[in-house]
Amino acid sequence: MNTPQVSTEQALKPLALKRKPHQLHSATLRWWLLGPALLLIGATVIYPMVSSFITSFRDWRLINSPDPGPFVGVQNYARAFTDRGFLNSLRVSGLYTLISVGLTLFLGLGMALLLSKPTKLNTFTRALLIFPFAVTPVLKGFSWKFMLNPEYGVYAQMVGALIPSLKGYLWLGHDFSALFVIALSEVWGWSPLFALMFIGALGSIPPETTEAAKMDGATGLQIFWKITLPLLAPVIYIVALLKTISAFKMFDQVTIMTGGGPGDSTQTLYYHVYQLAFRNLDLGYASAVSYLLVALMAAIAFFYVRTLLSPKER
Amino acid sequence: MLNARLQRQLGQGAEVIATLLVIFFVMFPLVWIGLASLKNPVDVYSTRVFFQATLDNYSAIFGPRIRLQSNIFISALVAFLTVAITVPVGAAAAYVLSRHRFRGRESLSLLILITQFVPAVVVAIPYFVLFRSLGMIDTPIALVIVYLSFTLPYAIWMLRGFFDALPVEVEEASFIDGCNELQTLRYVTVPLVMPGILVSAVFAFISAWNEFFFALILTRSNTVTLPISIMNITGVRGPQWEQLSAAGMVVMIPILVMSLFIRKYFVEGITVGAVK
């Protein structure tokens, strides 16, 4: 009874597949669907990029004139490399990135290992992990500033109770601790998210692998270094790049928590360019500095995109 | 024997304590802001956990001095407009990039991926000059335009992942049944990627709602969005923490609710396909 049905299907098959679905796609429709997106990306990304690039070769101070000034060659770029403000912001952003990426990875990994077993408490805790990330960055800044106030901040008092020498410490009043606290507000947002990603990756490690290692007498620490960590390495690499890109864009909490101070110790690259462009209104120089930022981003993004698009990972 | 059992129990105890510490780390700032929003101006300058709760701060932020409702309106308007443009335009482009075969498809996708890394300052400088000369500083439209520079590439890349995950056979069947491409798109493809469309809408909404950098540059007094208005809640003694906290709750709650809705896709959404 089955034979005729199979043959009918087989008879129909070549008919159906004569034209692949993408050959039925209309080229006219393609450009109607793609057009608006290309137009908007062209207007909102490509146009300003080209315009900034041109401005970066001009001497254009908005205080003097609303019209673009004369071209000055690479003078703006040359100026950046002798400008202490820029070099300082490069150092601040570098240090900030190191602290925030390092801490986020460390805490994220720790939380993931702790919560990987599917107990009731762990499942509940995992559900909470999505909350901090979505919190408005301005609020992240305010809440940590509030909680670390030396007089009435709840975290400041907790730390003071644990380590008496830090009682009344001005967290935002010292160079390194101010940068560290800004990083903390961001680590609070990102590390739970990292934990969720790592938990996902840990789930794809076959339990037999670790079981076998345990049978062979490996300690927990050995299993972590020799099995878990190498298997997580690709995920760690990609999320670290993602966080690095975001760390170089740090702006919101700097504005809210320190305004770049004390001194210029928390002037990140973004904050510095903001000052140049919208406080000093020195558009030519600010454009040049922002293009140096583009170059930096492009270098990091190159590794990110390469990993993302490599067929091995997919 | 007893030793081993004791050791195991101690280990389990330590794990539970560590987990409770994680819960504390993740939730405490949110809880503390929630408590501060219910405190009176005296209690907020203490670390008291028990206090006489009051709703005064909430009536104050909606009162005549702060009028947060007008900022809520502006923020919601800007976010809705951004989503209303981002999602249909992004979905249409993502469909083509996922399904059509044409020359330059891969380089186009790559270009869109790369635009996500363009620093906002590069976009801000020319648009600041342009909006200034057009008299568009301090208008909602100006904000929507610059917000599209990051929501659109992001949405396209995210939605492309959702289209890619949908098997082509579904559309094949629809073609065999005699539907043309537009009909297939409307009745088959779009309904099937609806979860992806909703997720990208939520992400676009959240990023517009939270945005601070462009808003700081492009608003003055008429289109003050929520993040900017929060910054302005200060009194003679500096920030008024109790009112600031109440405003913070108002800003945060819609976003926390939305992220709960798309919980399943949250991680994927942020990494846009980076972690599989």
Side-chain angles (χ1 to χ4, degrees), chain B residues 76-134:
Chain B
L77 177 72
V78 169
F80 273 122
L81 284 176
T82 306
V83 171
I85 300 172
T86 300
V87 171
V89 171
Y95 163 77
V96 172
L97 291 175
S98 167
R99 289 298 195 250
H100 281 229
R101 299 281 175 275
F102 59 99
R103 265 186 62 192
R105 183 179 77 129
E106 284 314 315
S107 21
L108 206 58
S109 306
L110 188 65
L111 183 79
I112 290 167
L113 177 65
I114 291 170
T115 54
Q116 284 182 61
F117 302 117
V118 173
V121 276
V122 176
V123 176
I125 295 172
Y127 266 107
F128 175 71
V129 175
L130 184 70
F131 288 147
R132 227 171 83 118
S133 62
L134 293 175

Side-chain angles (χ1 to χ4, degrees), chain A residues 5 22 57 126 209 232-233 260 274:
Chain A
Q5 274 181 330
H22 65 81
F57 296 103
R126 278 188 220 171
T209 324
L232 281 182
Y274 168 79

Side-chain angles (χ1 to χ4, degrees), chain B residues 213-230:
Chain B
F213 179 75
F214 284 115
L216 191 64
I217 296 162
L218 297 174
T219 65
R220 294 292 176 267
S221 56
N222 294 324
T223 49
V224 177
T225 58
L226 283 169
I228 305 288
S229 71
I230 286 182

Side-chain angles (χ1 to χ4, degrees), chain B residues 2-275:
Chain B
L2 187 80
N3 236 343
R5 220 178 79 193
L6 190 72
Q7 221 174 7
R8 211 180 59 225
Q9 275 175 350
L10 275 177
Q12 275 170 354
E15 258 178 46
V16 170
I17 289 168
T19 309
L20 292 177
L21 276 175
V22 168
I23 295 176
F24 177 85
F25 171 69
V26 170
M27 294 310 287
F28 188 73
L30 299 175
V31 172
W32 195 249
I33 292 293
L35 286 178
S37 77
L38 299 171
K39 287 180 173 180
N40 62 46
V42 176
D43 287 325
V44 86
Y45 290 103
S46 73
T47 46
R48 257 167 246 152
V49 183
F50 299 102
F51 54 90
Q52 180 64 47
T54 168
L55 287 174
D56 285 355
N57 302 319
Y58 287 92
S59 47
I61 57 173
F62 291 114
R65 204 176 67 81
I66 300 177
R67 286 183 40 82
L68 201 70
Q69 57 273 38
S70 61
N71 306 112
I72 295 176
F73 175 75
I74 298 285
S75 270
L77 177 72
V78 169
F80 273 122
L81 284 176
T82 306
V83 171
I85 300 172
T86 300
V87 171
V89 171
Y95 163 77
V96 172
L97 291 175
S98 167
R99 289 298 195 250
H100 281 229
R101 299 281 175 275
F102 59 99
R103 265 186 62 192
R105 183 179 77 129
E106 284 314 315
S107 21
L108 206 58
S109 306
L110 188 65
L111 183 79
I112 290 167
L113 177 65
I114 291 170
T115 54
Q116 284 182 61
F117 302 117
V118 173
V121 276
V122 176
V123 176
I125 295 172
Y127 266 107
F128 175 71
V129 175
L130 184 70
F131 288 147
R132 227 171 83 118
S133 62
L134 293 175
M136 278 172 71
I137 301 259
D138 213 15
T139 61
I141 297 298
L143 287 180
V144 173
I145 290 172
V146 289
Y147 287 0
L148 288 175
S149 73
F150 56 84
T151 56
L152 190 56
Y154 185 74
I156 293 175
W157 193 256
M158 184 197 289
L159 280 163
R160 198 198 147 163
F162 279 99
F163 279 111
D164 282 346
L166 188 71
V168 195
E169 285 74 22
V170 193
E171 285 153 277
E172 231 169 347
S174 162
F175 283 132
I176 292 167
D177 289 345
C179 285
N180 67 27
E181 193 185 359
L182 209 56
Q183 289 167 324
T184 307
L185 195 57
R186 185 168 158 200
Y187 297 111
V188 180
T189 318
V190 168
L192 285 170
V193 292
M194 211 29 116
I197 289 176
L198 286 178
V199 173
S200 67
V202 169
F203 270 96
F205 189 92
I206 291 179
S207 48
W209 182 265
N210 282 349
E211 209 284 328
F212 179 66
F213 179 75
F214 284 115
L216 191 64
I217 296 162
L218 297 174
T219 65
R220 294 292 176 267
S221 56
N222 294 324
T223 49
V224 177
T225 58
L226 283 169
I228 305 288
S229 71
I230 286 182
M231 197 178 64
N232 297 334
I233 302 180
T234 47
V236 275
R237 288 193 56 193
Q240 293 200 299
W241 295 111
E242 67 286 359
Q243 291 178 3
L244 216 152
S245 304
M249 294 303 283
V250 172
V251 176
M252 232 158 36
I253 283 169
I255 286 180
L256 297 185
V257 172
M258 277 187 203
S259 22
L260 267 183
F261 268 111
I262 56 157
R263 211 177 65 182
K264 241 173 65 186
Y265 303 97
F266 200 78
V267 171
E268 271 177 76
I270 288 150
T271 53
V272 267
V275 185

